[in-house]
Amino acid sequence: MENCQILFPSSASSSSFPPFHLIAPFSNNMAPPNVLTNFHQNRNGLLGFKTGVDNQPSIDNNTSPMERTAAGSENEMKPGKKKGEKKVRKPRFAFQTRSQVDILDDGYRWRKYGQKAVKNNKYPRSYYRCTNQGCNVKKQVQRLSKDEGVVVTTYEGIHTHPIEKSTDNFEHILSQMQIYSGY
DNA sequence: CGACTTTGACCAGCGC
DNA sequence: GCGCTGGTCAAAGTCG
């Protein structure tokens, strides 16, 4: 978990790196994760954006070994937990936002599949998965207990399909929230 | 009735 | 080895 902290640059540097630079591309029919991926690819010395990429060359593993047979043939081990096989992590991107709502409407449809209480945090962490068939993108949403206005959203994986609805809505939400810059 | 949420249980990884 | 913690599953419940 710790390998996925964020950072936006401090607000002091907003002139050189306004947080919304991160977001602007969304309007181009791009989903946040994709955008962030770009950041990841350039991440040498970038932004302070931190990702949780583990030996993941990059983004071409859209359909990962984690893929769970949607048909539900189970009985196999849990996905991605094969013996001897190194745990493969998809690229992860996290960002903090200051928002009233936990769930940012980023244009994709998500299904909640779990919620856990997190240590040192009075708010639970929620786990969501993209409902699009074949798309294994996941995200975690957590509100900070020390600053309840701050929501941390972590994306894992890359969407393999076009966005489902206009991101105008997302932008609208963005316009209502402030990017948190606590570092 | 389908899509989604809730929630307890289960499992693996990790630190001690 | 053990206990803690994070991540996921899946059954049951809810909602439109």
Side-chain angles (χ1 to χ4, degrees):
Chain A
M1 235 25 17
E2 322 70 35
N3 59 351
C4 227
Q5 314 166 342
I6 313 308
L7 17 314
F8 285 119
S10 81
S11 54
S13 64
S14 62
S15 58
S16 59
F17 236 125
F20 274 82
H21 271 195
L22 295 172
I23 295 155
F26 292 1
S27 55
N28 287 346
N29 206 13
M30 286 186 80
N34 294 345
V35 174
L36 298 179
T37 292
N38 293 339
F39 279 105
H40 147 56
Q41 287 172 325
N42 300 334
R43 73 185 185 283
N44 310 332
L46 205 110
L47 289 185
F49 226 127
K50 233 163 147 196
T51 71
V53 185
D54 296 342
N55 22 298
Q56 207 43 294
S58 78
I59 331 259
D60 55 7
N61 58 322
N62 291 334
T63 54
S64 75
M66 283 288 282
E67 181 139 35
R68 171 164 319 244
T69 51
S73 71
E74 66 297 270
N75 97 17
E76 221 76 20
M77 207 55 182
K78 300 239 157 114
K81 310 239 163 158
K82 277 218 213 119
K83 227 212 225 148
E85 181 176 337
K86 227 170 179 181
K87 198 156 137 188
V88 184
R89 271 269 185 84
K90 296 183 187 174
R92 299 218 288 189
F93 317 97
F95 55 91
Q96 292 181 348
T97 55
R98 186 176 283 280
S99 170
Q100 304 291 331
V101 295
D102 291 347
I103 311 302
L104 303 180
D105 185 354
D106 51 13
Y108 290 96
R109 293 180 62 206
W110 301 94
R111 169 184 302 224
K112 188 173 186 175
Y113 67 89
Q115 174 173 299
K116 284 291 276 191
V118 182
K119 206 184 169 190
N120 298 326
N121 196 329
K122 66 180 178 181
Y123 296 102
R125 174 182 300 150
S126 296
Y127 299 89
Y128 297 86
R129 177 176 290 148
C130 182
T131 60
N132 196 287
Q133 223 175 17
C135 180
N136 278 326
V137 178
K138 294 178 220 171
K139 76 173 177 181
Q140 302 174 6
V141 178
Q142 179 173 13
R143 192 172 285 276
L144 297 185
S145 60
K146 58 179 181 185
D147 187 347
E148 354 193 313
V150 176
V151 176
V152 178
T153 303
T154 304
Y155 285 91
E156 181 172 336
I158 309 297
H159 289 285
T160 62
H161 56 96
I163 197 163
E164 301 201 10
K165 49 186 179 184
S166 165
T167 54
D168 289 350
N169 197 11
F170 184 55
E171 291 184 81
H172 173 67
I173 289 189
L174 286 172
S175 72
Q176 293 180 9
M177 70 189 187
Q178 308 165 35
I179 302 297
Y180 176 71
S181 54
Y183 296 86

